[in-house]
Amino acid sequence: MQLNIEQLRNETPGTQSVIHFNNAGCSLPTKETIDVITEYLQIEAVIGGYELKEKYQSILDQFYKEAAQLINASEEEIALTANASDSFNKAIYAIPFQEGDIVLASEVEYGNSYLNFLKLKEEKGIEIQIIPSDEHGNVLLGKLEAMISPQVKLIAITHIPTNSGLITDAESIGAIAKKHNILYILDACQSVGHIPVDVEKIQCDFLTATSRKYLRGPRGLGFLYVKKEVLKKLKPMSLDMVTAHWENADSYQLDLNIKMFEQWEKPYALVLGFSKAIAYLNQLGIENTWKRIQELSSYLRDNLKKIEGVTVRDIGTNQCGIVTFNIGDIPPEDVVKALLQNKINTSVSARFSTVLDMDKRGLSAVNRASLQYYNTKEEIDVFVEFIKIAATQIPEYQ
Ligand SMILES: Cc1ncc(COP(=O)(O)O)c(C=O)c1O
């Protein structure tokens, strides 16, 4: 299906006022998404929060159907969470780690993931081992397989990192995890809604996603996928009255289903918005939106590479809509500020988010322009012209 970009932009009010290249930070929502949220809040205010939720239950439950459809899972495998980090933490703290267990992690792990592995190291005595990657940033599959031992309890992979265009070959890693019967968690925070993600093909046991980025949902929500067969091996890090039943002064019962990762209290207006945003994408078709993002990001990378003084920083042989670069020694924050004054939204990806990869490449921060399917070549042309002008100022920064 050919996307009607003009129509999609008309359905997204923000595209009329800014050039939004910060989609890996937070994408612009559609008017439809904003409307369902505000309408729900308006009705809630006049008829009562609990009362409205009862009425809307079946509509709210659509969220699970839409999320499951997008990643080829079942509704009983999706938990609504606060964000991707919340999903990740809920998953890893539910794994019954023991002293000496090994976690194999990729070089591009996100700060939250790695910090919590360090905490598990400190508290439970697990060991973290980093899977090496080749000169392009691709995980070395042979090396990964050679690292597998009976102590390896978990393989943790970031599908698309926050600081580069890399797409990790999650499927090949999944085949190895499956072959050796090792738990596999995929941080798909930047990939769900951005590229096609199919949990059956990837064979992951856990997958984490967030609402506000490529899914174009509201801030403050995310989801966690857990494969049904894995649930019985887990113990949630904390209990909530959704699945834990208080029996008496000394005991409780726990239902081992996906709801054990949820909280009873939820921001229902936002859940509706999140559901609407995923439904919108399911209708457009992720294959179509991904094709458009690929075209736009190749165009941007090719144009940036032509500018003297600009270094494109993306690793990976298979690349996505996140485009990273530096302009000589100009501090990336200065570039973002100057772009913002011209109504162009971009961001900085700093060392602290991906310490291992940034240190390996000797980088302290990069500029990040992350494209969504609603962006246009005309917007890229404006952006590139601006970067050309910025590049003329490199000598002043030396
Ligand atoms: C690769 C990656 N993983 C995880 C996260 C954390 O997502 P959230 O802020 O929704 O917890 C981010 C956020 O930028 C990310 O880029």
Side-chain angles (χ1 to χ4, degrees), residues 24 83-86 110 158 160-162 187 189-190 210 212-213:
N83 49 54
S85 304
D86 184 41
Y110 186 69
T158 296
I160 292 178
T162 193
D187 172 346
C189 177
Q190 293 289 5
T210 206
R212 71 185 184 283
K213 296 181 188 284

